[in-house]
Amino acid sequence: YEFGLFTEEKLGQAEKTELDAHFENLMSRADCTKLWTEKIFRQTEVLLQPNPSARIEEFLYEKLDMKAPSRATNGELLGQYMQDAGKELGAGTPYGNTLMIVGECESRLGAAEREFLQTSAISFLAPLRNFLEGDWRTISKERRLLENLRLDLDACKARVKKAKAAEAKAAAAPDFQDTRPRNYVLSASASAAEHELRVAQTEFDRQAEVTRLLLEGISSTHVNHLRCLHEFVEAQAAFYKHCHHHMQELQKELSRFPNAFTLNAANAAVSTASASEGAGSPTEADTLKIEEVQAPATGTRKAKVLYDYDAADSSELSLLADELITVYTVPGMDSDWLIGERGNQKGKVPVTYLELLS
């Protein structure tokens, strides 16, 4: 009967008990909160663990109330591989030594990521999950109960309306031959229907109040999620701060070692330029007069500056990281130096601060 009544309500053929506008707004806000909380929760899971298989494994362990096995982060794995490779290739070689240094930094980055993942899972993911699996399920259950009571109430209203219509019809055309007046029977039926209506109305009102209180609790949920969001941002900021610090330290440490690849390329350029110039009289580096140096017709190259460099004296050229300059050598120059030109400026520049371009 209730299914048929529900269908009639949808078709506009039966009366439907309407909830007040405030109640409707509360339900709409609750639905919106659930929708976006679920989306944010799912996408945060993807952010913290991009591997779908790993996410399913963690979900199963959680449902079985078991502790998931510890899993190394990608950064920690990369760091371990680099350090192992450096040891096998030779810690005394430039490449092996650099591998070990970078590997150690990658391991620190991985450890920082692990701490960020653990903090975010506790302070942000867990509260969102608790809402979806706890509070929201309770709200949904009470709303379904309210809807069932509403259908009961509407059914009682329909019975009362039908009983009164029959009673009015009988009163208009009484049957005087009936030993028990039909009006009496119909009146009793209407009274019973009205009693059922009062009971249904009371139960509906009670359930509506319970549901209203739960829906109004969404405001507290927003406050709680706001606090969790701040904690998530703080954890994310701390993670990136640690990463930036580790990378700065790595850059500083690597800058102390000559770039073997760049150094070899620079030496090759020096040899090529010297050969193209032919044998000339040697010029001592300490007697080189920069203002008298002229760029050769061939053998000049473009170079990208890797790090800032402050000239030690007037014979050197100060450099800014990432700028492009022209470089060449002159006979008798130390192989660790080249002549650099930038516009009208000219001076000696250290090879290890340059990346020679083809």
Side-chain angles (χ1 to χ4, degrees):
Y1 178 75
E2 288 183 358
F3 177 77
L5 181 64
F6 180 76
T7 304
E8 290 181 358
E9 288 179 356
K10 289 295 183 182
L11 297 175
Q13 298 175 353
E15 180 183 358
K16 177 182 177 180
T17 301
E18 298 291 345
L19 299 168
D20 61 76
H22 176 63
F23 199 98
E24 294 286 355
N25 289 336
L26 288 176
M27 289 200 297
S28 176
R29 187 176 67 154
D31 290 335
C32 185
T33 300
K34 184 263 181 181
L35 172 66
W36 287 109
T37 299
E38 196 167 44
K39 287 186 175 182
I40 292 171
F41 175 78
R42 299 302 177 200
Q43 193 57 39
T44 305
E45 279 190 319
V46 174
L47 172 69
L48 299 181
Q49 178 50 269
N51 188 336
S53 299
R55 289 202 304 274
I56 293 174
E57 181 182 341
E58 291 173 357
F59 175 78
L60 292 176
Y61 273 106
E62 181 182 344
K63 289 303 178 184
L64 295 173
D65 198 20
M66 297 173 60
K67 184 178 180 181
S70 179
R71 182 186 293 109
T73 63
N74 292 328
E76 289 174 317
L77 287 175
L78 177 59
Q80 188 61 52
Y81 292 161
M82 285 184 169
Q83 291 181 77
D84 292 345
K87 291 176 183 177
E88 189 165 342
L89 295 173
T93 65
Y95 181 45
N97 185 40
T98 304
L99 272 174
M100 294 187 67
I101 293 172
V102 176
E104 185 179 350
C105 180
E106 292 295 338
S107 295
R108 288 196 295 266
L109 292 175
E113 181 185 9
R114 176 191 294 278
E115 182 179 353
F116 165 64
L117 296 179
Q118 292 174 345
T119 302
S120 299
I122 295 172
S123 64
F124 190 61
L125 273 185
L128 298 186
R129 183 188 293 109
N130 291 339
F131 167 73
L132 293 171
E133 297 181 357
D135 295 349
W136 181 253
R137 288 185 179 179
T138 302
I139 291 173
S140 299
K141 176 184 175 183
E142 298 301 330
R143 284 176 64 176
R144 287 193 298 269
L145 181 57
L146 178 65
E147 179 63 16
N148 290 336
L149 291 176
R150 184 190 67 78
L151 290 174
D152 288 343
L153 177 61
D154 292 345
C156 290
K157 290 179 178 179
R159 284 196 292 269
V160 168
K161 185 177 181 181
K162 184 177 180 180
K164 287 189 174 182
E167 184 181 11
K169 183 178 179 181
D175 185 359
F176 297 104
Q177 297 179 352
D178 194 352
T179 57
R180 187 179 182 183
R182 187 156 50 100
N183 292 3
Y184 176 80
V185 176
L186 293 175
S187 177
S189 176
S191 297
E194 288 177 346
H195 174 72
E196 291 178 358
L197 174 61
R198 287 192 294 272
V199 172
Q201 184 70 58
T202 300
E203 292 179 351
F204 174 80
D205 291 341
R206 184 185 300 113
Q207 183 60 34
E209 184 61 25
V210 171
T211 308
R212 183 194 302 274
L213 291 175
L214 289 173
L215 293 174
E216 288 175 346
I218 291 293
S219 297
S220 299
T221 299
H222 287 184
V223 173
N224 183 40
H225 288 183
L226 176 60
R227 176 182 57 80
C228 296
L229 184 59
H230 277 280
E231 292 180 1
F232 176 64
V233 171
E234 289 298 323
Q236 209 167 20
F239 168 59
Y240 288 122
K241 181 180 179 180
H242 289 156
C243 291
H244 181 64
H245 172 73
H246 292 323
M247 293 308 298
Q248 280 188 320
E249 293 298 315
L250 177 62
Q251 285 182 314
K252 288 180 182 178
E253 190 166 3
L254 291 181
S255 68
R256 302 192 188 103
F257 303 97
N259 186 320
F261 179 77
T262 304
L263 185 57
N264 291 337
N267 288 336
V270 170
S271 300
T272 303
S274 299
S276 65
E277 286 297 303
S281 57
T283 304
E284 295 297 325
D286 56 352
T287 62
L288 183 66
K289 295 182 179 179
I290 295 298
E291 62 273 7
E292 297 177 1
V293 173
Q294 298 296 325
T298 59
T300 62
R301 298 183 67 175
K302 289 292 185 183
K304 179 181 178 181
V305 178
L306 298 175
Y307 317 104
D308 292 347
Y309 177 75
D310 295 325
D313 55 44
S314 60
S315 68
E316 297 181 5
L317 180 66
S318 294
L319 303 174
L320 293 175
D322 297 328
E323 71 173 340
L324 295 178
I325 62 173
T326 301
V327 295
Y328 54 90
T329 188
V330 294
M333 271 193 75
D334 187 336
S335 61
D336 291 336
W337 295 81
L338 291 173
I339 300 297
E341 287 189 0
R342 181 180 56 234
N344 296 326
Q345 296 178 310
K346 180 168 49 178
K348 294 189 301 179
V349 293
V351 171
T352 54
Y353 279 69
L354 305 174
E355 177 187 354
L356 297 179
L357 307 176
S358 58

